[in-house]
Amino acid sequence: MTQPLDSIASVLEGTGEYRVLRRVRPFVEYVDPPNEPTFIGLILDTETTGIDHARDEVIELGIIKFEYGASGRVYRVLETLNQLHEPSKPIPSEVTRLTGITDADVAGHRIDDAAVRAMAADAAVVIAHNASFDRQMCEGRWPIFAEKNWACSCHQVPWRDEGHEGMKLGYLLTDYGFFHNGHRAIDDCHALMALLAAPLRVSGRLALSCLLETARKPTVRIWAAGSPIATKDVLKARSYRWSGRRRCWYIDVEEERFEIECTFLSEEIFQREIQDLPTDRITARDRFSARTNPEN
């Protein structure tokens, strides 16, 4: 029935009065063999008992292992993993409402740690749609993820510049004419694979290529230590964030913007030349990790 239904959907769309959403389908392997260097990547998603990486637990892990080229083209899916895990405490009701995962679903299940390590062993990059959350949830349980380069498909692809109003996975899928079973780990992975393998709507670049280019660039975290209290609104307006632990404003910028930012701080914040502000250089090996969390 797929072909007749697709024909009906095309007729509806052709009227200009309807938009039809199609369910995300598994990635179709690229027909031609790679004509460029290829690498191994992982798309990863977790469902958890909460948002505190130090106390909450992963209750579902989904991973797609895939081969991609230096151009950002996805060639084939190599392996998938989708496993449930029974946590040490009952799953909170709000988590069940969001994910549909119940205590009965996870009873007696345990994620195979050895299988996870084997999948991650040769990965050049791990991609998640909220990498700062998924990386920190994974590193404590599977230390191999602390050794990997990570990329965030939510914040390291210029979705807004490409004509998207929202960056959530479901919103992006809708813009591309798809839907999926959200908030289940492997379904989110397949949805993200579909987005990363597709051309962006304005530039036409492959989304994965754009993501990897951004992820490879080192960034510098500048701490505006000792900034006058009266300048906090100016800093906030320039996207500085407050670290409660360090009691200090900070910003992450690409290396080429470092001098520009120092000039701004000298002229607008400190009103004097500054040369000794603390900085941290951050790469994909540490980015989104608990190691670079400004509250740690």
Side-chain angles (χ1 to χ4, degrees):
M1 288 293 292
T2 300
Q3 187 171 353
L5 291 175
D6 281 342
S7 298
I8 294 170
S10 297
V11 171
L12 288 171
E13 291 173 326
T15 67
E17 299 295 325
Y18 299 90
R19 291 186 64 196
V20 180
L21 299 182
R22 294 166 171 83
R23 184 183 295 277
V24 170
R25 296 172 181 168
F27 177 78
V28 177
E29 185 171 320
Y30 198 68
V31 177
D32 297 325
N35 59 358
E36 59 179 333
T38 62
F39 309 90
I40 302 300
L42 301 183
I43 291 175
L44 178 149
D45 186 68
T46 61
E47 303 300 338
T48 66
T49 58
I51 61 174
D52 187 333
H53 73 273
R55 295 186 299 178
D56 288 306
E57 301 173 66
V58 175
I59 56 175
E60 186 177 45
L61 177 67
I63 302 176
I64 296 177
K65 185 173 186 175
F66 65 101
E67 181 185 26
Y68 68 93
S71 65
R73 183 179 299 281
V74 178
Y75 286 99
R76 60 192 175 114
V77 171
L78 302 172
E79 189 178 354
T80 63
L81 180 145
N82 185 39
Q83 294 183 353
L84 294 166
H85 184 86
E86 182 178 8
S88 58
K89 297 179 181 179
I91 298 173
S93 58
E94 58 270 23
V95 172
T96 295
R97 283 195 298 270
L98 181 66
T99 65
I101 301 173
T102 67
D103 290 323
D105 292 329
V106 300
H109 288 274
R110 182 170 181 82
I111 295 172
D112 185 340
D113 295 341
V116 174
R117 289 193 297 269
M119 285 192 75
D122 56 351
V125 65
V126 181
I127 301 169
H129 201 61
N130 185 4
S132 61
F133 176 78
D134 290 299
R135 178 167 196 171
Q136 293 184 50
M137 290 302 304
C138 288
E139 283 187 349
R141 171 78 183 270
W142 302 286
I144 192 171
F145 287 118
E147 306 166 6
K148 297 296 177 180
N149 297 312
W150 281 69
C152 180
S153 55
C154 182
H155 299 290
Q156 292 185 301
V157 177
W159 298 113
R160 296 192 188 279
D161 293 343
E162 295 288 339
H164 302 277
E165 293 184 3
M167 297 186 294
K168 289 185 177 180
L169 196 55
Y171 296 164
L172 296 171
L173 281 178
T174 298
D175 286 345
Y176 276 91
F178 294 104
F179 73 95
H180 79 308
N181 181 23
H183 299 295
R184 291 304 300 263
I186 198 63
D187 295 304
D188 282 351
C189 289
H190 283 297
L192 184 52
M193 172 67 82
L195 291 175
L196 293 178
L200 294 168
R201 297 200 306 178
V202 175
S203 68
R205 294 185 61 193
L206 292 171
L208 179 60
S209 174
C210 191
L211 171 62
L212 294 173
E213 180 182 281
T214 303
R216 291 187 188 107
K217 293 180 180 178
T219 53
V220 180
R221 177 167 295 166
I222 304 172
W223 296 92
S227 59
I229 295 176
T231 63
K232 66 180 180 65
D233 291 335
V234 178
L235 290 166
K236 287 172 65 176
R238 198 174 170 89
S239 300
Y240 278 72
R241 303 178 68 180
W242 176 255
S243 169
R245 185 184 67 83
R246 291 185 59 160
R247 309 292 297 172
C248 184
W249 293 95
Y250 71 95
I251 192 171
D252 293 341
V253 300
E254 295 181 357
E255 285 187 316
E256 55 264 33
R257 276 195 55 204
F258 177 72
E259 294 299 334
I260 295 173
E261 206 59 35
C262 287
T263 299
F264 160 77
L265 289 171
S266 295
E267 295 179 354
E268 303 294 331
I269 302 302
F270 294 96
Q271 297 184 356
R272 60 177 174 82
E273 185 176 355
I274 54 169
Q275 297 179 336
D276 56 352
L277 288 179
T279 59
D280 302 311
R281 188 175 186 271
I282 301 172
T283 69
R285 184 60 60 93
D286 297 308
R287 192 177 293 123
F288 310 118
S289 170
R291 297 187 299 276
T292 57
N293 186 327
E295 297 303 326
N296 289 345

